[in-house]
Amino acid sequence: MPAFRQVGEKQLPNPVIYMAWSPKRDLIALANTAGELLLHRLANFQRVWSLAPNENTGKEITSLAWRPDGKILAFGVGDTKQVVLCDAEKAEILHLFPVDVPVSCMHWVEVQSNSSSLSVFSESEDESNCFLPRLPTLPKSYSSTSKIFSEEKSDEVTNLLGEVRLNILVTGGPSGFVELYAYGLYKVATLTEITGTCRSLCLSSDLKSLSVVTETRSSNDNSEIHYIQLDTGLLSSCLPELTRMARKFTHISTLIQYLRLSLTCMCEAWEDILMQMDLRLTKFVQEKNTSTQVQDEFLELLLWGHASPELQALLMNQLTVKGLKMLGQSIESSYSSIQKLVISHLQSGSGALLYHLSEVKGMALWKQKFQPLGLDPVAIEEAITAVGSFTLKANELLQVIDKSMKNFKAFFRWLYVAMLRMSEDHVPPELNKMTQKDLAFVADFLSEHFSANEELFDRKGKYFNVERVGQYLKDEDEDLVSPPNMEGNNWLSFVEQSTYLKASPLLFPTYPQKSLHFVKRMMEGAIDFCLQKPAEVIGSSVKQAVCLPLYSVSESSADIPKLFELPSLWNDKNTCMQYTVFCMPEISPSKVYILRRATDPNRAVLNGLVAIDLNTPLNSSIDDEAPVAEPVDRSYSCLDARLYDDETLTVVLQCLEGDENRLRLLAQLPLGAALSCEEVFAWDPALRLDQQTEGIPVQALTWGNQSRDLENMKACFVAVNGIRKVACVLSSNLRHVRVFEMDVEDEEDEERADESQDISSDQDGLEVTSPNQGAAGGGVDEEGGAKACEEMGELPGETLDQTSGSDTL
């Protein structure tokens, strides 16, 4: 039987430009030229879900990366310059953040460390859960657009953070753009030591170095490929402190988004209908022919019960009794919703922000541990002050809402009775009673809100600003049109008269002339500055350890998607090595080169470069029972190569003989013999590698039966996952895919051996086996089968698209 079992094949409608296997499940993510993100499972290449492009994310996917636990998929969007984090189970957008340039490559790595201090930290990290209440979930009407805080999630922050172990998302782009994000959320480093466009990235799991493959323009205007290794020793030496800081800042970043979404919910709760009173009164002033002020006309209606024809027309024809009643109900409903959001969401979120920022300030004051990471106590203190001002502004909004609700209830109650009398309708007895105190209250309300003096004519062309809440929710830089009246506030008078309290840093500034949105932007700016400082300090500590020019790029490869283009990078966690696999088809078309560097830049590797010769006899016989054919000497060129595991290279080869439809095959190359080569290559740093290929050690490999002809397919690219033992081959037109299980023979041999052992043991113990024992054995088999299905990565919720993947080639 074939060496690799084909389990799926499909012709796709749109060309695939990126593909990546999940590290934990039998799922592969595909991005196509239409901007769609697709998730398929191994079995029959069945589609699990699809995420269509939209205005929030963008239409041009430029890179893909899985979080190491396989629960979140990150992708870069070129047209909107964003990085989006997507839930792998339900195709939900969990988080997105902007970047300066389109991200051309990504790598997400989980940090491996045996540090005892890190394990002690993990036991005491969740202390905030003991002191802070759980944040209320966002309203269902809005949670559909962002599921970070949906009711289905038991712990919103943990959903994004994953495990306590640190994981880092590395993004790269043009002009040497490289950034590192802890947990995919918080930026911990911005690197500036790189020139050229990043083609691929690989951060070592011990955080000691970062390997980058770049493309630069040479003096003769040709593109050249370089390998750069960066020393990230500060991240490795300060791993426990970095983990604590990153988790704390990630909490802060998530809380900022929570407050932003809460404020958006408040803006949605506020309706434009609340402005109808202002607009109609303004139109009334502009159209009326008399010189009487609106305030006087309403006072005349209040005192004498008489209204001018113009005012009566406004009330009865434009507002109407029914419209006034609906307006009162709408105002009360909107104000109540906004009030609840302020109390439950803004106050809870800002309180949690103050808690976490105070802990970060304590970390910053521990200079021995955290000063190398760039924590600045002064910047953190400014962020704390900004959060305090935001909290005060939220409390101010509560007071404005409370006062406005009382004012509107009293005014509408009086106006409703007046309009009923104008229309000669029955007035309910409970509304017909009005005391002298009620009259004075309405008169004060009219005096405060219904003045039509020219100096009150605001920037929007309105005389009236009866509705006072909406101005707090507008995202504008201008001052409030109707700021709250602070006269008679005993606390403010006391502070103004006290020399020490007036200049005390312990009192948060209030900004009475500014809106809630303005203070929120100020808070975000202070926190962003606080969060960016460590990224600058850590980024400046990263230095270039080595830069190796590899080869020049031919113009014919300009149309190849960059993800599929070699070189490819691999991190060997066991030996602390980083591999770079590449080809130089113009120099030596039948060779694959492997460059090895230690993750520690200070550790030398003797056999750091080796070439694999593909001109070896291939035994075309795969079935052991079939007659062995004579070895066939063929010359092959490598179209694509990816590390399957630490000692196996998966390649797509093309036979050099024949026509344009010549044979292509998928093969597994064992690297054990090649990597044990003891020959040392004397690298001349003044020359590119393609200019000194004569001295590179060359190794020939024996393929055995680890290859398969790819018939009726112009295979060109491959994506593999050695943990799940799967591979996906893509054709040169980027539409035709085939999916394989790679280590089928070994598994079947083990199953046959297990079956033979079971048969022999059953025969030996047939006379002593009881029925009860047989039943128990069946239960173990069922449990083991369930466990095996779980390990295969079955998703519980795949209802989005079950039938779309049924069409076959």
Short mmCIF file of all heavy atoms in Angstrom, two decimals, residues 703-741:
data_model
loop_
_atom_site.label_atom_id
_atom_site.label_comp_id
_atom_site.label_asym_id
_atom_site.label_seq_id
_atom_site.Cartn_x
_atom_site.Cartn_y
_atom_site.Cartn_z
N TRP A 703 16.09 7.07 0.82
CA TRP A 703 14.68 7.38 1.08
C TRP A 703 13.88 6.17 1.54
O TRP A 703 12.91 6.31 2.26
CB TRP A 703 14.02 7.94 -0.19
CG TRP A 703 14.65 9.20 -0.67
CD1 TRP A 703 15.69 9.87 -0.10
CD2 TRP A 703 14.28 9.94 -1.81
NE1 TRP A 703 15.99 10.98 -0.82
CE2 TRP A 703 15.14 11.05 -1.89
CE3 TRP A 703 13.32 9.79 -2.79
CZ2 TRP A 703 15.07 12.00 -2.89
CZ3 TRP A 703 13.24 10.72 -3.79
CH2 TRP A 703 14.11 11.82 -3.85
N GLY A 704 14.22 5.01 1.09
CA GLY A 704 13.41 3.84 1.39
C GLY A 704 12.06 3.94 0.70
O GLY A 704 11.95 4.28 -0.47
N ASN A 705 11.00 3.62 1.45
CA ASN A 705 9.66 3.68 0.86
C ASN A 705 8.89 4.91 1.33
O ASN A 705 7.67 4.96 1.21
CB ASN A 705 8.87 2.42 1.23
CG ASN A 705 8.72 2.27 2.75
OD1 ASN A 705 9.31 3.03 3.52
ND2 ASN A 705 7.93 1.28 3.15
N GLN A 706 9.60 5.90 1.88
CA GLN A 706 8.92 7.09 2.39
C GLN A 706 8.73 8.14 1.29
O GLN A 706 9.23 9.25 1.38
CB GLN A 706 9.72 7.67 3.56
CG GLN A 706 9.76 6.79 4.78
CD GLN A 706 8.37 6.56 5.35
OE1 GLN A 706 7.63 7.51 5.61
NE2 GLN A 706 8.00 5.31 5.53
N SER A 707 8.02 7.76 0.26
CA SER A 707 7.71 8.69 -0.83
C SER A 707 6.46 8.22 -1.55
O SER A 707 6.08 7.04 -1.46
CB SER A 707 8.88 8.80 -1.82
OG SER A 707 9.11 7.56 -2.45
N ARG A 708 5.84 9.15 -2.23
CA ARG A 708 4.61 8.81 -2.96
C ARG A 708 4.49 9.71 -4.16
O ARG A 708 4.64 10.93 -4.07
CB ARG A 708 3.40 8.98 -2.05
CG ARG A 708 2.08 8.83 -2.82
CD ARG A 708 0.90 8.76 -1.89
NE ARG A 708 -0.34 8.64 -2.65
CZ ARG A 708 -1.42 8.02 -2.23
NH1 ARG A 708 -1.41 7.46 -1.03
NH2 ARG A 708 -2.50 7.97 -2.96
N ASP A 709 4.19 9.09 -5.32
CA ASP A 709 3.98 9.86 -6.53
C ASP A 709 2.66 10.63 -6.42
O ASP A 709 1.64 10.09 -5.96
CB ASP A 709 3.92 8.94 -7.75
CG ASP A 709 5.28 8.29 -8.02
OD1 ASP A 709 6.27 8.76 -7.44
OD2 ASP A 709 5.32 7.30 -8.77
N LEU A 710 2.70 11.89 -6.82
CA LEU A 710 1.49 12.73 -6.82
C LEU A 710 0.98 12.82 -8.25
O LEU A 710 1.30 13.73 -9.01
CB LEU A 710 1.82 14.12 -6.26
CG LEU A 710 2.36 14.14 -4.82
CD1 LEU A 710 2.79 15.54 -4.42
CD2 LEU A 710 1.31 13.61 -3.86
N GLU A 711 0.19 11.82 -8.61
CA GLU A 711 -0.30 11.72 -9.99
C GLU A 711 -1.43 12.71 -10.22
O GLU A 711 -2.22 13.02 -9.32
CB GLU A 711 -0.78 10.29 -10.27
CG GLU A 711 0.32 9.25 -10.11
CD GLU A 711 -0.20 7.85 -10.32
OE1 GLU A 711 -1.45 7.71 -10.41
OE2 GLU A 711 0.60 6.91 -10.36
N ASN A 712 -1.52 13.17 -11.45
CA ASN A 712 -2.59 14.08 -11.89
C ASN A 712 -2.65 15.34 -11.02
O ASN A 712 -3.73 15.86 -10.75
CB ASN A 712 -3.95 13.37 -11.86
CG ASN A 712 -3.99 12.15 -12.74
OD1 ASN A 712 -3.42 12.14 -13.84
ND2 ASN A 712 -4.63 11.09 -12.26
N MET A 713 -1.50 15.81 -10.62
CA MET A 713 -1.46 17.01 -9.78
C MET A 713 -0.11 17.69 -9.96
O MET A 713 0.93 17.06 -9.80
CB MET A 713 -1.68 16.65 -8.31
CG MET A 713 -1.68 17.85 -7.38
SD MET A 713 -1.89 17.37 -5.65
CE MET A 713 -2.07 18.98 -4.87
N LYS A 714 -0.14 18.97 -10.25
CA LYS A 714 1.09 19.76 -10.31
C LYS A 714 1.40 20.29 -8.92
O LYS A 714 1.27 21.47 -8.62
CB LYS A 714 0.94 20.90 -11.30
CG LYS A 714 0.86 20.46 -12.76
CD LYS A 714 0.84 21.66 -13.69
CE LYS A 714 0.82 21.22 -15.15
NZ LYS A 714 0.82 22.38 -16.08
N ALA A 715 1.77 19.36 -8.04
CA ALA A 715 2.04 19.73 -6.65
C ALA A 715 3.21 20.69 -6.58
O ALA A 715 4.18 20.58 -7.34
CB ALA A 715 2.33 18.49 -5.83
N CYS A 716 3.12 21.63 -5.67
CA CYS A 716 4.17 22.64 -5.58
C CYS A 716 4.50 23.02 -4.14
O CYS A 716 5.64 23.32 -3.84
CB CYS A 716 3.76 23.89 -6.35
SG CYS A 716 5.15 24.98 -6.78
N PHE A 717 3.52 23.00 -3.23
CA PHE A 717 3.73 23.45 -1.86
C PHE A 717 3.17 22.44 -0.87
O PHE A 717 2.27 21.66 -1.22
CB PHE A 717 3.06 24.81 -1.63
CG PHE A 717 3.39 25.83 -2.69
CD1 PHE A 717 2.45 26.23 -3.61
CD2 PHE A 717 4.67 26.37 -2.76
CE1 PHE A 717 2.74 27.17 -4.59
CE2 PHE A 717 4.98 27.30 -3.73
CZ PHE A 717 4.02 27.69 -4.65
N VAL A 718 3.66 22.48 0.35
CA VAL A 718 3.22 21.53 1.37
C VAL A 718 3.21 22.21 2.73
O VAL A 718 4.04 23.09 3.01
CB VAL A 718 4.13 20.28 1.39
CG1 VAL A 718 5.55 20.64 1.81
CG2 VAL A 718 3.56 19.20 2.30
N ALA A 719 2.24 21.83 3.56
CA ALA A 719 2.19 22.23 4.97
C ALA A 719 2.06 20.96 5.79
O ALA A 719 1.26 20.08 5.45
CB ALA A 719 1.00 23.16 5.23
N VAL A 720 2.86 20.84 6.86
CA VAL A 720 2.92 19.60 7.63
C VAL A 720 2.75 19.89 9.11
O VAL A 720 2.95 21.02 9.57
CB VAL A 720 4.25 18.86 7.39
CG1 VAL A 720 4.38 18.43 5.95
CG2 VAL A 720 5.44 19.71 7.81
N ASN A 721 2.40 18.84 9.84
CA ASN A 721 2.34 18.86 11.29
C ASN A 721 2.78 17.50 11.79
O ASN A 721 2.04 16.53 11.71
CB ASN A 721 0.91 19.19 11.77
CG ASN A 721 0.84 19.35 13.29
OD1 ASN A 721 1.76 19.01 14.02
ND2 ASN A 721 -0.28 19.87 13.76
N GLY A 722 4.01 17.45 12.30
CA GLY A 722 4.56 16.18 12.75
C GLY A 722 3.90 15.65 14.01
O GLY A 722 3.90 14.44 14.25
N ILE A 723 3.34 16.52 14.83
CA ILE A 723 2.67 16.07 16.05
C ILE A 723 1.41 15.29 15.70
O ILE A 723 1.15 14.22 16.24
CB ILE A 723 2.35 17.27 16.95
CG1 ILE A 723 3.65 17.97 17.36
CG2 ILE A 723 1.57 16.83 18.18
CD1 ILE A 723 3.42 19.23 18.18
N ARG A 724 0.63 15.82 14.78
CA ARG A 724 -0.60 15.14 14.35
C ARG A 724 -0.35 14.19 13.18
O ARG A 724 -1.27 13.50 12.75
CB ARG A 724 -1.65 16.17 13.94
CG ARG A 724 -1.93 17.22 14.98
CD ARG A 724 -2.37 16.64 16.29
NE ARG A 724 -3.60 15.87 16.17
CZ ARG A 724 -4.16 15.18 17.15
NH1 ARG A 724 -3.58 15.15 18.33
NH2 ARG A 724 -5.27 14.51 16.96
N LYS A 725 0.86 14.19 12.59
CA LYS A 725 1.26 13.28 11.53
C LYS A 725 0.39 13.45 10.28
O LYS A 725 -0.19 12.51 9.75
CB LYS A 725 1.21 11.82 12.00
CG LYS A 725 2.13 11.55 13.18
CD LYS A 725 2.06 10.11 13.64
CE LYS A 725 3.01 9.88 14.82
NZ LYS A 725 2.97 8.48 15.30
N VAL A 726 0.30 14.71 9.83
CA VAL A 726 -0.53 15.04 8.68
C VAL A 726 0.24 15.96 7.75
O VAL A 726 1.21 16.62 8.14
CB VAL A 726 -1.86 15.71 9.11
CG1 VAL A 726 -2.77 14.71 9.79
CG2 VAL A 726 -1.59 16.89 10.02
N ALA A 727 -0.21 16.02 6.50
CA ALA A 727 0.39 16.91 5.50
C ALA A 727 -0.70 17.32 4.51
O ALA A 727 -1.64 16.57 4.24
CB ALA A 727 1.53 16.22 4.75
N CYS A 728 -0.55 18.53 3.98
CA CYS A 728 -1.47 19.05 2.97
C CYS A 728 -0.63 19.56 1.81
O CYS A 728 0.26 20.41 2.00
CB CYS A 728 -2.34 20.16 3.54
SG CYS A 728 -3.52 20.86 2.37
N VAL A 729 -0.90 19.05 0.62
CA VAL A 729 -0.16 19.41 -0.58
C VAL A 729 -1.03 20.32 -1.43
O VAL A 729 -2.23 20.05 -1.63
CB VAL A 729 0.26 18.16 -1.37
CG1 VAL A 729 1.04 18.55 -2.62
CG2 VAL A 729 1.11 17.24 -0.49
N LEU A 730 -0.43 21.39 -1.94
CA LEU A 730 -1.14 22.38 -2.74
C LEU A 730 -0.51 22.44 -4.12
O LEU A 730 0.72 22.41 -4.27
CB LEU A 730 -1.08 23.75 -2.06
CG LEU A 730 -1.76 24.93 -2.75
CD1 LEU A 730 -3.28 24.73 -2.78
CD2 LEU A 730 -1.43 26.23 -2.04
N SER A 731 -1.35 22.56 -5.14
CA SER A 731 -0.85 22.58 -6.51
C SER A 731 -0.34 23.97 -6.86
O SER A 731 -0.54 24.95 -6.14
CB SER A 731 -1.98 22.18 -7.47
OG SER A 731 -3.01 23.14 -7.43
N SER A 732 0.29 24.06 -8.01
CA SER A 732 0.88 25.33 -8.44
C SER A 732 -0.18 26.38 -8.77
O SER A 732 0.10 27.57 -8.72
CB SER A 732 1.78 25.10 -9.65
OG SER A 732 1.04 24.50 -10.71
N ASN A 733 -1.41 25.95 -9.13
CA ASN A 733 -2.47 26.94 -9.39
C ASN A 733 -3.17 27.39 -8.11
O ASN A 733 -4.12 28.17 -8.17
CB ASN A 733 -3.48 26.39 -10.38
CG ASN A 733 -4.25 25.19 -9.83
OD1 ASN A 733 -4.06 24.77 -8.69
ND2 ASN A 733 -5.12 24.63 -10.65
N LEU A 734 -2.74 26.86 -6.96
CA LEU A 734 -3.20 27.27 -5.63
C LEU A 734 -4.66 26.92 -5.37
O LEU A 734 -5.27 27.45 -4.43
CB LEU A 734 -3.00 28.77 -5.40
CG LEU A 734 -1.58 29.31 -5.65
CD1 LEU A 734 -1.55 30.81 -5.40
CD2 LEU A 734 -0.57 28.59 -4.79
N ARG A 735 -5.25 26.00 -6.14
CA ARG A 735 -6.65 25.62 -5.97
C ARG A 735 -6.84 24.15 -5.63
O ARG A 735 -7.86 23.79 -5.05
CB ARG A 735 -7.44 25.94 -7.24
CG ARG A 735 -7.50 27.42 -7.61
CD ARG A 735 -8.16 27.60 -8.96
NE ARG A 735 -8.14 28.99 -9.41
CZ ARG A 735 -9.14 29.85 -9.24
NH1 ARG A 735 -10.23 29.45 -8.62
NH2 ARG A 735 -9.06 31.10 -9.66
N HIS A 736 -5.90 23.31 -6.00
CA HIS A 736 -6.04 21.87 -5.85
C HIS A 736 -5.25 21.42 -4.62
O HIS A 736 -4.05 21.65 -4.53
CB HIS A 736 -5.51 21.18 -7.12
CG HIS A 736 -5.72 19.71 -7.13
ND1 HIS A 736 -5.17 18.89 -8.11
CD2 HIS A 736 -6.39 18.88 -6.29
CE1 HIS A 736 -5.51 17.65 -7.86
NE2 HIS A 736 -6.24 17.61 -6.77
N VAL A 737 -5.93 20.76 -3.65
CA VAL A 737 -5.27 20.32 -2.43
C VAL A 737 -5.50 18.82 -2.24
O VAL A 737 -6.54 18.28 -2.64
CB VAL A 737 -5.78 21.09 -1.19
CG1 VAL A 737 -5.43 22.55 -1.26
CG2 VAL A 737 -7.27 20.91 -1.00
N ARG A 738 -4.52 18.19 -1.63
CA ARG A 738 -4.62 16.80 -1.19
C ARG A 738 -4.10 16.71 0.24
O ARG A 738 -3.09 17.32 0.57
CB ARG A 738 -3.81 15.85 -2.09
CG ARG A 738 -4.42 15.61 -3.45
CD ARG A 738 -3.59 14.62 -4.27
NE ARG A 738 -4.11 14.47 -5.62
CZ ARG A 738 -3.53 13.75 -6.57
NH1 ARG A 738 -2.39 13.11 -6.31
NH2 ARG A 738 -4.07 13.65 -7.77
N VAL A 739 -4.79 15.92 1.05
CA VAL A 739 -4.45 15.79 2.46
C VAL A 739 -4.05 14.35 2.72
O VAL A 739 -4.69 13.40 2.25
CB VAL A 739 -5.64 16.20 3.35
CG1 VAL A 739 -5.23 16.21 4.82
CG2 VAL A 739 -6.16 17.57 2.94
N PHE A 740 -2.96 14.16 3.50
CA PHE A 740 -2.40 12.85 3.76
C PHE A 740 -2.19 12.64 5.26
O PHE A 740 -1.87 13.58 6.00
CB PHE A 740 -1.04 12.68 3.06
CG PHE A 740 -1.10 12.75 1.57
CD1 PHE A 740 -0.92 13.97 0.91
CD2 PHE A 740 -1.33 11.62 0.81
CE1 PHE A 740 -0.96 14.06 -0.46
CE2 PHE A 740 -1.38 11.70 -0.58
CZ PHE A 740 -1.19 12.91 -1.21
N GLU A 741 -2.39 11.38 5.67
CA GLU A 741 -1.87 10.90 6.95
C GLU A 741 -0.52 10.26 6.66
O GLU A 741 -0.42 9.40 5.81
CB GLU A 741 -2.83 9.90 7.59
CG GLU A 741 -4.09 10.52 8.14
CD GLU A 741 -4.98 9.50 8.82
OE1 GLU A 741 -4.84 8.30 8.53
OE2 GLU A 741 -5.81 9.90 9.63
#
